[in-house]
Amino acid sequence: MKIFKDFDFKAHNTFGLAGQTKYWLEVSDEDDLPRAIETADELSGGHFMFLGGGSNVLFCGNYQGALIRLAFGGIQHSALDHGQILVEAGAGVSWHELVRYTVERGWWGLENLALIPGSVGAAPIQNIGAYGVEQEDVFESLRGVPLNGPPSEYLKDQCAFAYRNSVFKQQMTGKMVITRVRYRLNTEPQPRLSYKELKEYFDPKDHDLGHDLKPDQIANKVAEIRRAKLPDPAVVGNAGSFFKNPVLQGDAADAFRSNFPNAPLFEVQGEDRNWKASAAWLIEQCGWKGHRRGAIGVSPGHALVLVHYGGGQGEDLWMLAQDIMRSVHDEFGITLEPEVNIVNP
Ligand code: EPU
């Protein structure tokens, strides 16, 4: 375990916002975790939080407590029955590194989730998803260490996965650290091509899906789609989608559809009469797409992505986010909810 005082976290949040934390503790060995938590607790008087890849967090100014950076590494795998593979990765492994590891070996399951920034440990917390797939689709289990208590295993049905949500984002938030995550993958082809651009590109007429396709082809195509739409955090600071897509229920969904017949709406699987509206569309309709306010703005490529061009402040970004939320509410009566964790708003 390493401890630093007055540590600059600019390199540890994908917005690239400068700021200092009073204490920074870096833990790469699970056995050190209880001591790290105890130390952070003592140093900060109980004001501490955990950080993975920093791809889903907005710091509004300095952090006056202790940040515990989780850096557990390692990827292992073992064969299961029926051509399935169990892959286990440390929470600190970069998500895309895990995706690459699996698609290079020809295993199916994570290919649609290529190039999502962040760490493996963060994936189950907000049940990351893209291009027709959510991590819960192939999730097997995870290992968590509660703040006070022995490590325990969480199976899928204990995780309450939902759209960008899980038990770890609700009741368990801040109470447990995820150290390892396991996915059950397939060696047999299982392409998931429901997303329009994937379906069009991998036209079944040209591919005998059972034999032709390899998971890395899908991962590469997904990466290409992402690069075309979403800014690369290494070039322009951002945290991917800043807001969740709002779910409209029953009559509210019907009313929205009749008032705005051109608005995209996506069915929420398994939930009768629930529809997901497109937050990007709502924001774009309000005129925010490409809007720039000094060092921060809304990406010209995708209205759901707030960007930091450099030299800006987290507080200003949060102010812009709130202005966007207000105008979407005034225009459509819909309340947007941030997907990103806002620290010290
Ligand atoms: N759209 C606009 N304006 C834009 C962008 C999109 O009107 O600037 C409309 C289009 O009509 C498009 C619809 O929004 O058909 C949906 O856009 P897109 O397919 O890009 O997906 P999204 O709903 O905006 C979600 C995830 C993304 C994920 C994509 C692809 C959320 C909050 N975001 O975005 O995840 O990559 O689907 O599956 O669910 C992330 O979470 O950080 C993230 C990037």
Side-chain angles (χ1 to χ4, degrees), residues 129-132 163-164 195 226 229-230 239-241 243-245 264 266 278 280-281 284 289 301-304 339:
Y131 309 104
Y163 169 59
R164 294 297 195 273
Y195 191 80
R226 286 187 76 92
K229 287 191 192 177
L230 303 169
S241 303
F243 300 102
K244 293 187 206 179
N245 284 326
F266 305 93
S278 158
W281 186 87
E284 184 171 349
K289 188 167 176 176
H302 202 298
L304 198 43
E339 184 193 284

Side-chain angles (χ1 to χ4, degrees), residues 55-56 112 116-117 126 128-134 163-164 195-197 225-226 229-230 238-245 262-264 266 276-285 289 299-305 339-340:
S55 64
N56 206 39
N112 294 42
I116 295 183
Q126 61 154 358
I128 57 168
Y131 309 104
V133 172
E134 287 176 324
Y163 169 59
R164 294 297 195 273
Y195 191 80
K196 192 165 157 266
E197 283 175 73
I225 297 171
R226 286 187 76 92
K229 287 191 192 177
L230 303 169
N238 76 87
S241 303
F242 192 89
F243 300 102
K244 293 187 206 179
N245 284 326
N262 296 328
F266 305 93
K276 231 189 267 173
S278 158
W281 186 87
L282 298 169
I283 295 168
E284 184 171 349
Q285 297 304 303
K289 188 167 176 176
S299 168
H302 202 298
L304 198 43
V305 182
E339 184 193 284
V340 169

Side-chain angles (χ1 to χ4, degrees), residues 211-341:
H211 303 282
D212 265 16
L213 266 180
K214 300 273 182 290
D216 63 338
Q217 287 172 270
I218 295 182
N220 291 341
K221 184 64 192 169
V222 163
E224 191 186 311
I225 297 171
R226 286 187 76 92
R227 284 196 187 100
K229 287 191 192 177
L230 303 169
D232 178 353
V235 181
V236 182
N238 76 87
S241 303
F242 192 89
F243 300 102
K244 293 187 206 179
N245 284 326
V247 174
L248 307 179
Q249 295 172 326
D251 295 346
D254 295 344
F256 181 76
R257 188 184 290 104
S258 66
N259 289 337
F260 306 101
N262 296 328
L265 276 176
F266 305 93
E267 212 169 346
V268 179
Q269 278 172 14
E271 302 278 342
D272 200 23
R273 295 190 73 215
N274 281 6
W275 294 80
K276 231 189 267 173
S278 158
W281 186 87
L282 298 169
I283 295 168
E284 184 171 349
Q285 297 304 303
C286 292
W288 290 105
K289 188 167 176 176
H291 174 86
R292 182 159 177 178
R293 197 185 269 179
I296 53 166
V298 179
S299 168
H302 202 298
L304 198 43
V305 182
L306 301 194
V307 288
H308 169 226
Y309 292 103
Q313 306 286 329
E315 293 94 323
D316 293 339
L317 211 145
W318 179 225
M319 215 121 72
L320 173 65
Q322 290 174 97
D323 288 345
I324 293 171
M325 288 159 80
R326 251 189 303 273
S327 75
V328 167
H329 190 266
D330 290 349
E331 193 66 24
F332 297 100
I334 292 175
T335 305
L336 290 182
E337 226 182 283
E339 184 193 284
V340 169
N341 298 316

